[in-house]
Amino acid sequence: GAVVSQHPSRVICKSGTSVKIECRSLDFQATTMFWYRQFPKQSLMLMATSNEGSKATYEQGVEKDKFLINHASLTLSTLTVTSAHPEDSSFYICSASDLRDWGTDTQYFGPGTRLTVL
Amino acid sequence: QKEVEQDPGPLSVPEGAIVSLNCTYSNSAFQYFMWYRQYSRKGPELLMYTYSSGNKEDGRFTAQVDKSSKYISLFIRDSQPSDSATYLCAMSAGSQGGKLIFGQGTELSVKP
């Protein structure tokens, strides 16, 4: 149980284009979904927290107009990197909290999406 | 000072060794403690979850939490090459909308 999928797993795009990454909880309903960014040999950097049907809460220093997050249902959240530039190249990982684990703060992670902007 | 400190390693051990991974933290409000394993180019996988102080065992893995010392540990018995990965500790106070605070991660290599 508690499986999270991400799509695509890898994407290469040209500078200036927008890229959408999907995060789905496959066998549970997610109260909250999180989006992280990870650079090589570094820990996870939280970008934003989203709850179904409400606006995402962004961490300090994360541009909300550049990283658009939509949490359309209890099983789907999307991250859109708008007008991507080479410095946006990174490993993006989503996670989700299972409604049944409410109060434990346990997060289940997706496999990640590697974005390369040329 | 970071809220959570974790030695990044790398840590190299021979197959069969007992591995000890540790994190220290400064926020006494933390009460939920987790260990995640992350293979290269993959998302983190939840290994162990502990609430408050105490020990928890699952197969070859044992998690310990000492809240009085603000110190948590993960022990791996009979380590295998397949255990080679980065291990991340994570914790929360349960009052920040589910946000986890992560350690930097310890890179472990188990040599056959």
Side-chain angles (χ1 to χ4, degrees), chain B residues 91-111:
Chain B
M91 49 198 81
S92 75
S95 59
Q96 290 185 296
K99 284 169 57 171
L100 293 176
I101 309 300
F102 285 88
Q104 189 176 349
T106 299
E107 185 180 347
L108 171 67
S109 177
V110 181
K111 303 294 187 184

Side-chain angles (χ1 to χ4, degrees), chain A residues 10 32 34 36 38 41-44 46 49 59 91 93 97 103-112 114, chain B residues 32 34 36 38 41-46 49 88 92-100 102-105 107:
Chain A
R10 183 178 297 184
T32 307
F34 304 83
Y36 294 84
Q38 188 176 37
K41 302 283 187 181
Q42 293 190 24
S43 191
L44 304 168
L46 180 64
T49 303
E59 294 299 299
F91 192 50
I93 313 175
S97 293
T104 69
D105 288 351
T106 305
Q107 291 180 26
Y108 301 96
F109 285 83
R114 184 159 303 281
Chain B
Y32 301 102
M34 281 146 262
Y36 287 88
Q38 185 176 24
R41 299 175 181 267
K42 301 290 184 185
E45 169 194 10
L46 179 65
Y49 165 82
L88 296 146
S92 75
S95 59
Q96 290 185 296
K99 284 169 57 171
L100 293 176
F102 285 88
Q104 189 176 349
E107 185 180 347

